[in-house]
């Protein structure tokens, strides 16, 4: 079981992702803004962050930059899960420090595969 934080301003999507991950035994938190994400990440130190790029207030790429600049969370794997589909958007996210990128709409099995890979890589980073 991993502790995963889902950050997305679309509540329905966030709750859908939460349900998919909880069905696999993970503990999942959900927040709907970049501001709440930054606070929650600092307090909870999740094993994985699933982050939308387009949110009001602090956008996902800025949240990601702050995660990477933080002593406490810079090694936390981050999966960008977003409707941005252009290759340039993928490159921006990867340069900001994303470990993986999945475009919406997504297949639940593919999401779980990405999550498993990132959690395994996260465990290796700690060792």
């Amino acid at each position: 079981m991993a502790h995963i934080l889902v950050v997305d301003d679309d509540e329905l999507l966030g709750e859908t992702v939460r349900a998919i991950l909880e069905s696999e035994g993970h503990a999942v938190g959900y927040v709907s803004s970049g501001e709440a994400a930054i606070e929650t990440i600092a307090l909870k130190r999740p094993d994985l962050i699933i982050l939308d790029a387009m949110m009001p207030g602090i956008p996902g790429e800025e949240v990601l930059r702050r995660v990477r600049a933080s002593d406490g969370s810079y090694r936390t794997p981050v999966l960008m899960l977003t409707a941005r589909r252009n290759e340039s958007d993928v490159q921006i996210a990867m340069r900001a420090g994303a470990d993986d990128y999945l475009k919406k709409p997504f297949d639940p099995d593919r999401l779980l595969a990405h999550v498993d890979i990132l959690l395994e890589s996260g465990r290796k980073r700690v060792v």
Side-chain angles (χ1 to χ4, degrees), residues 106-119:
F106 62 92
D107 175 72
D109 290 332
R110 187 159 183 196
L111 172 66
L112 290 171
H114 283 255
V115 166
D116 288 345
I117 291 166
L118 289 170
L119 288 172

Side-chain angles (χ1 to χ4, degrees), residues 4-120:
I4 301 172
L5 179 64
V6 177
V7 185
D8 198 302
D9 62 328
D10 180 337
E11 186 175 341
L12 180 60
L13 184 116
E15 292 300 330
T16 299
V17 172
R18 175 191 285 205
I20 292 166
L21 297 171
E22 286 178 344
S23 74
E24 294 295 309
H26 299 296
V28 183
Y30 166 72
V31 297
S32 60
S33 72
E35 293 86 353
I38 291 166
E39 291 175 19
T40 303
I41 292 164
L43 290 173
K44 301 289 184 177
R45 306 264 171 114
D47 300 313
L48 172 67
I49 301 164
I50 299 178
L51 182 61
D52 185 18
M54 298 182 293
M55 294 183 294
I58 301 174
E61 285 89 358
E62 180 58 27
V63 172
L64 181 55
R65 285 184 190 94
R66 293 185 190 189
V67 165
R68 293 296 179 238
S70 168
D71 288 339
S73 61
Y74 73 96
R75 289 184 176 200
T76 304
V78 176
L79 168 63
M80 297 298 292
L81 179 61
T82 181
R84 289 187 174 169
R85 305 186 66 75
N86 293 329
E87 186 59 32
S88 62
D89 295 320
V90 175
Q91 294 304 318
I92 289 168
M94 300 308 274
R95 279 194 295 271
D99 295 285
D100 202 353
Y101 197 97
L102 186 59
K103 298 170 186 171
K104 298 176 189 173
F106 62 92
D107 175 72
D109 290 332
R110 187 159 183 196
L111 172 66
L112 290 171
H114 283 255
V115 166
D116 288 345
I117 291 166
L118 289 170
L119 288 172
E120 183 61 30

